[in-house]
């Protein structure tokens, strides 16, 4: 029975430790998102195709599509 208690205590301690590691969720404004995406695309010579905000329940996410490269070397990116 002590082994079961030790396992429960270990599980509890591990769960608490993992909660401490969870990142804080930061809300990003549309302007901040546009600035970061624009800077990243400028650095790699990419082109913004579109950006939008997608509602997800109470929270929303900013999403953008972009591409880098030309013709056969073109790659499409989905940025969140």
């Amino acid at each position: 029975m002590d082994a079961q208690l030790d396992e429960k205590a270990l599980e509890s301690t591990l769960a608490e430790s993992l909660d401490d590691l969870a990142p804080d969720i930061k809300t990003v404004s549309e302007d901040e998102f546009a600035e970061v995406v624009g800077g990243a695309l400028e650095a790699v010579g990419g082109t913004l195709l579109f950006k939008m905000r997608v509602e997800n329940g109470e929270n929303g996410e900013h999403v953008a599509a972009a591409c880098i490269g030309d013709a056969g070397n073109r790659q499409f990116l989905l940025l969140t």
Side-chain angles (χ1 to χ4, degrees):
M1 197 161 193
D2 287 333
Q4 286 180 337
L5 290 176
D6 288 344
E7 286 181 23
K8 293 284 186 194
L10 181 59
E11 280 180 30
S12 177
T13 301
L14 183 56
E16 288 173 10
S17 296
L18 291 175
D19 285 342
D20 291 342
L21 293 176
D24 292 332
I25 296 175
K26 180 183 182 252
T27 302
V28 176
S29 73
E30 187 168 344
D31 290 338
E32 290 171 321
F33 182 71
E35 184 178 335
V36 169
V37 167
L41 290 174
E42 185 177 322
V44 296
T47 303
L48 178 67
L49 300 175
F50 68 85
K51 68 177 177 61
M52 61 188 288
R53 182 174 168 87
V54 179
E55 295 301 323
N56 183 10
E58 292 180 17
N59 302 321
E61 275 188 74
H62 299 282
V63 179
C67 66
I68 55 174
D70 305 12
N73 293 327
R74 183 172 293 161
Q75 296 180 358
F76 293 93
L77 310 169
L78 181 61
L79 310 162
T80 61

